[in-house]
Amino acid sequence: MTEINQFINQEIEKVDKVKQAQFSKNFDYIIDSNGQKINFNDSRIVFVDPEPRNPYGRQLVINLYKKYGLNIRISKETDASVLQYAKKICSGRECLASVAIAGAVLKDIHECRTDEEITIYRTPIDQHGPCQNGAWPVLWETFASRLNTKNVIFYAFPKYTNNYLGLNQDLIAWENINFLIGHYLIEARNALYCVAENRDIAMERFERLTREFIKNVKEGKKTLNTGLLKWAKEVAKTPLKAKVEETPKVLIFGGLNLMFDHYPIEDFFLERGIIAKVVDIAESMNLILAESTIRFGFKKGITNPKEQFNEQVLEFYGVDEKERREAQRVKRNRSTMKFLNSQCKIFRKIIGKSGLLFDPYVDFIDLLEEGNNHISSNSFTETPIITGRFLYSIKEGIYDGLINLGTFNCQPAMNSQAIIRPLANKSDIPYAAIDCEGPWISTNQRRLLETIAIQAIRVRKKKNIQVD
C-alpha cells in the first residue's frame, strides 16, 4: 500500500489550492477548474457511483449510459483496499457507509480517473435527518478541500432542483430499475446455487445465460422484458435436486449498510446449502423517496404512514409558495415511487418464471406501517422500515432464519436491534443481530451464524413435514 499512501499524502498536502469545478447557477452546464463552460454532453464528463453494486446491475447500467452517449464508473464490492484508502481521509468515527464511499472515491481518483476528465462523484442518498448521512454535505466539503483535485465535483445527487445533474429523467429512473434487476438476478442465482442437481454445471450455465441476456439488451436485440423472459425460460430448464420452497432460507436485512458488508454472511449460508436473500434494495429506495411525504404529513399533524400517503392530504396546502413547492415535490416523489413499485412487480414476475424467486414483492407502506407500531416513522431513519421488515417476515413465514445486519456506529441499526430483540424472543423463527465494522465476520459471529444455520434447517424440516 506504499504507492497508495504516497499518492494520498501528495493530494492532501498540496500547497497551491485549485479552484473546484462546479455546476452553473441554474445547473445548465459545468464550470471547470479553469473557469470554462462545459456542456453536459461533453465526452470528458464521467459520472461515478462510489457505492458498491453487484456485477449484473453494474454492467446493465454501464451499458444503459453508453446508449445515451454518457460515461459512468460504478464501484465493485467494498474490500480491504477501499477501507485502506478511507483511512487516509476519515477519522474512523464515521459509519461504514461514509467510510466505504470515501474510500471508493479516493480509490477511483488514484486508480481510474484520468487527468483529462471532468468527474462527478455522486452520492447514493440526499437526506436531512438524524442519520450520519445528514452530515455528508459538510463532510464532503471538507474532503474536497483536503483532496484539492482539479475538475472534480463531490457529493452530487441527481434531483429536480439541480436539473438531475444534466441527466435525462428517464435515464435516472431506468438506472435504478437496472440495479434492481441485477439484485433480483443475484437472488435467483443464490437459490439455484442451493437447489441445482449439479452446482458447477448449473452456475456455469446461469452465468452464460445472464451474459447473453445483458449482451442482447446492450446490442438492442432484446428489451429488458423480452430478454429476461427468454433468460427465465432457459434457466428454468436447469435440473434441480430439490424444490426451492422446501429448501432452508435466510433473510439478511438491515437497511442501506447492507450494500457494504453483507457478502461474508451471504456466502456463509450459501456454503451450507441455505438460500440467502439480501433484502430488496427497493425498500431503501422507497424510504428515500417517502421522506418528503412523511415530513409534509407530519407538518399537517398526521403521524400515521397510511394516512400520510393518502392523496387527499396533498390538497390541503395554503397559498404559501414554499408549501406549494413542497407539495409538488411530494407529488413528484410519489409518482416515482408508483413507477418503481410497478416495475419491481413486473420484473419479479418475469424473473420468477425461472422458478427461483420465492417471496412476493411487499408494498413499502405496509412495511412502514408495521414498523410504525413500534417506533415512529416520523423519526426519519431506517429504524421503522428495518423493524417493519422483521415483523412482516415473521408474518409471511417464508424464511427459516432472520439476520439483522448493522454496523456498530449506525444509530438507526442499533435502535432496530433494541426494538426487535423482545419481539424476536416471542417468535419461533431463529434470529440474530450482527454488528460489523466491515465486510468480514469475527469468530464469535461465525459461531452465532452456525447456530442460526442449524436452527434454520431444523425449522424448515418441521415446516415441510407439516405441509406433507
Side-chain angles (χ1 to χ4, degrees), residues 40-57:
F40 282 115
N41 61 357
D42 195 297
S43 60
R44 291 174 295 171
I45 295 176
V46 179
F47 293 90
V48 177
D49 275 3
E51 67 271 22
R53 300 288 189 172
N54 72 69
Y56 307 138

Side-chain angles (χ1 to χ4, degrees), residues 253 374-375 383 386-387 390 404 410-425 431-435:
F253 67 105
H374 296 271
I375 171 69
T383 305
I386 295 172
T387 305
F390 168 82
N404 184 4
C410 175
Q411 192 61 50
M414 297 302 100
N415 290 342
S416 76
Q417 291 184 13
I419 294 166
I420 290 173
R421 173 54 60 192
L423 301 174
N425 290 339
Y431 164 84
I434 302 289
D435 305 337

Side-chain angles (χ1 to χ4, degrees), residues 47-54 57-63 65 72-77 108 175 179:
F47 293 90
V48 177
D49 275 3
E51 67 271 22
R53 300 288 189 172
N54 72 69
R58 187 166 61 243
Q59 194 55 58
L60 283 167
V61 171
I62 290 172
N63 293 342
Y65 268 66
I72 188 169
R73 288 193 299 271
I74 304 169
S75 292
K76 298 179 182 179
E77 293 184 350
D108 185 85
E175 174 185 342
F179 279 137

Side-chain angles (χ1 to χ4, degrees), residues 36-320:
Q36 300 297 311
K37 174 182 175 181
I38 307 296
N39 293 322
F40 282 115
N41 61 357
D42 195 297
S43 60
R44 291 174 295 171
I45 295 176
V46 179
F47 293 90
V48 177
D49 275 3
E51 67 271 22
R53 300 288 189 172
N54 72 69
Y56 307 138
R58 187 166 61 243
Q59 194 55 58
L60 283 167
V61 171
I62 290 172
N63 293 342
L64 176 68
Y65 268 66
K66 286 180 180 177
K67 282 186 179 180
Y68 282 80
L70 300 170
N71 306 304
I72 188 169
R73 288 193 299 271
I74 304 169
S75 292
K76 298 179 182 179
E77 293 184 350
T78 302
D79 58 17
S81 69
V82 170
L83 299 181
Q84 183 66 32
Y85 272 109
K87 285 182 178 180
K88 296 299 178 181
I89 199 166
C90 293
S91 68
R93 293 186 292 271
E94 301 86 356
C95 66
L96 178 61
S98 301
V99 172
I101 289 173
V105 168
L106 278 172
K107 184 173 183 177
D108 185 85
I109 291 173
H110 176 49
E111 298 182 8
C112 304
R113 185 175 184 271
T114 64
D115 293 335
E116 296 77 26
E117 73 182 45
I118 299 166
T119 318
I120 301 174
Y121 287 100
R122 288 168 37 174
T123 179
I125 187 171
D126 180 25
Q127 184 206 31
H128 303 287
C131 180
Q132 285 193 34
N133 62 53
W136 284 1
V138 177
L139 191 69
W140 276 104
E141 184 177 341
T142 303
F143 287 173
S145 176
R146 291 174 64 193
L147 291 173
N148 198 35
T149 306
K150 290 184 64 176
N151 290 330
V152 168
I153 297 176
F154 296 102
Y155 196 81
F157 183 84
K159 55 187 176 180
Y160 177 81
T161 53
N162 61 20
N163 192 29
Y164 300 99
L165 308 181
L167 295 169
N168 184 291
Q169 216 173 328
D170 290 340
L171 170 63
I172 296 292
W174 284 105
E175 174 185 342
N176 288 314
I177 297 303
N178 276 271
F179 279 137
L180 281 165
I181 289 172
H183 186 86
Y184 298 155
L185 291 174
I186 291 287
E187 186 179 336
R189 186 202 66 184
N190 286 357
L192 184 61
Y193 186 86
C194 296
V195 301
E197 186 176 282
N198 186 310
R199 180 178 292 174
D200 292 338
I201 294 175
M203 288 297 99
E204 189 281 328
R205 186 169 182 272
F206 181 93
E207 295 297 336
R208 175 173 55 79
L209 290 172
T210 305
R211 285 195 302 270
E212 287 177 5
F213 154 67
I214 294 173
K215 182 181 178 182
N216 286 336
V217 173
K218 177 184 178 181
E219 296 176 351
K221 296 178 180 178
K222 297 283 185 180
T223 63
L224 285 171
N225 296 57
T226 57
L228 278 173
L229 187 59
K230 179 183 177 183
W231 171 92
K233 289 179 177 178
E234 290 300 315
V235 170
K237 297 176 183 178
T238 307
L240 308 179
K241 66 180 180 183
K243 295 180 179 179
V244 172
E245 295 78 13
E246 297 178 353
T247 304
K249 306 172 195 68
V250 167
L251 177 70
I252 305 169
F253 67 105
L256 272 175
N257 78 86
L258 293 175
M259 299 174 71
F260 308 95
D261 60 3
H262 73 267
Y263 332 119
I265 295 177
E266 182 180 31
D267 292 341
F268 176 90
F269 286 110
L270 290 176
E271 289 168 4
R272 286 154 182 78
I274 298 173
I275 301 174
K277 174 183 172 177
V278 178
V279 76
D280 198 327
I281 58 173
E283 293 179 14
S284 292
M285 292 180 181
N286 273 315
L287 182 63
I288 297 167
L289 292 166
E291 184 179 352
S292 58
T293 294
I294 297 171
R295 288 184 181 276
F296 188 86
F298 186 69
K299 287 180 181 179
K300 300 295 180 182
I302 303 170
T303 59
N304 181 278
K306 287 193 174 180
E307 293 178 3
Q308 289 173 339
F309 278 86
N310 188 317
E311 295 291 339
Q312 294 181 350
V313 174
L314 286 174
E315 305 305 322
F316 296 99
Y317 61 85
V319 295
D320 181 72

Side-chain angles (χ1 to χ4, degrees), residues 5-17 145-148:
N5 294 338
Q6 290 176 345
F7 159 76
I8 296 172
N9 290 333
Q10 288 171 2
E11 289 293 305
I12 292 176
E13 294 173 3
K14 285 178 181 174
V15 177
D16 298 327
K17 291 294 181 181
S145 176
R146 291 174 64 193
L147 291 173
N148 198 35

